[in-house]
Amino acid sequence: PPPSPPPPSPPPPFFPPIPPPSPSSPSPLPPPPLSPPPPLPPSPRPPALPRLECDVSDHLSDLTLQVAPPTDDLSDVLALGAIEPTSSSGALYSRSFALPFAPQPASSGIVAASIQSLSYLSLTQVAERQRALSLRAVLRTDAVFVDRSVVHVAIQLRDAYNNVQVSRSGLSVRLAASFAASVITVDCSTADLVRDDRFYVQHCSIPQLPQLWFAAQGETTIRVEARY
């Protein structure tokens, strides 16, 4: 017998149709801005304090005030000599200091103001260097030659009390060599005049003498001049 026909194919599965997307709803509007809070009322003024009339001197009568160098700093500037007693006038206190001799130049000391033994203010005093009144110079070159004619001089200045530390304010030192009518001058530094490591001695030099000075007979003079 002939073969039987194949069974019919099953129907395709049924899918329900997808509904179209619904239109998007518009975003809600932002809320209106909040109004600023009302200003705070002004703060009440503090009560006025009563005005008191006081005399300062009435409150200082029992205070012990001292104007003097500290006991642990008895320097040469303020620790010696006659001292007037402390005087007071209201709230003003003063004291005068004196020395029987001039202090060493550039030495320092401290003056302190204390109340009831407690120090409140202090000031450092420095003795000024005085102007030079004398000069000492040493010619350190024994002989010069036409090819070696450098002239060296050592200089030291002293004030009225024979101190070698002198003031440099406005000071000028000049070294001069003269032969016949010819003169050579050199401006010297003054930096070493206040240096203890240089023994307050300033060295100055004329680097070279003219060769014509060695071709004639005569005498060369070396002069040192200091002035303010």
Side-chain angles (χ1 to χ4, degrees):
S4 59
S9 299
F14 175 75
F15 295 98
I18 300 175
S22 60
S24 60
S25 59
S27 300
L29 296 176
L34 300 176
S35 58
L40 297 176
S43 301
R45 292 185 178 182
L49 297 177
R51 184 176 180 180
L52 301 178
E53 298 291 341
C54 298
D55 189 355
V56 178
S57 60
D58 295 339
H59 301 275
L60 300 179
S61 58
D62 296 333
L63 291 181
T64 302
L65 187 140
Q66 191 70 262
V67 180
T71 56
D72 57 348
D73 183 42
L74 299 179
S75 63
D76 294 337
V77 180
L78 297 171
L80 301 177
I83 301 177
E84 297 179 3
T86 303
S87 61
S88 62
S89 175
L92 177 63
Y93 291 80
S94 64
R95 193 173 192 179
S96 299
F97 297 88
L99 284 176
F101 53 86
Q104 182 181 358
S107 58
S108 62
I110 298 176
V111 177
S114 58
I115 300 177
Q116 304 297 96
S117 302
L118 295 178
S119 179
Y120 287 89
L121 296 174
S122 63
L123 182 65
T124 300
Q125 304 288 321
V126 180
E128 293 184 351
R129 295 181 175 92
Q130 304 299 319
R131 286 193 169 194
L133 293 182
S134 63
L135 182 149
R136 298 183 182 182
V138 176
L139 181 63
R140 301 179 62 240
T141 302
D142 295 333
V144 292
F145 303 91
V146 66
D147 58 342
R148 298 192 303 276
S149 59
V150 182
V151 177
H152 299 281
V153 177
I155 305 165
Q156 188 179 72
L157 305 180
R158 304 197 176 206
D159 64 7
Y161 299 98
N162 214 29
N163 292 310
V164 295
Q165 297 189 60
V166 298
S167 172
R168 294 176 55 208
S169 178
L171 174 65
S172 64
V173 179
R174 179 173 294 182
L175 178 63
S178 59
F179 178 82
S182 180
V183 179
I184 297 176
T185 60
V186 173
D187 291 328
C188 304
S189 172
T190 60
D192 291 347
L193 294 176
V194 294
R195 294 182 55 179
D196 56 352
D197 60 331
R198 298 298 179 91
F199 303 100
Y200 309 103
V201 175
Q202 181 66 56
H203 295 272
C204 191
S205 303
I206 297 177
Q208 185 176 5
L209 299 178
Q211 295 184 1
L212 293 177
W213 289 14
F214 297 89
Q217 295 291 332
E219 184 178 279
T220 300
T221 302
I222 306 298
R223 185 177 69 255
V224 180
E225 180 182 284
R227 63 174 56 186
Y228 287 96

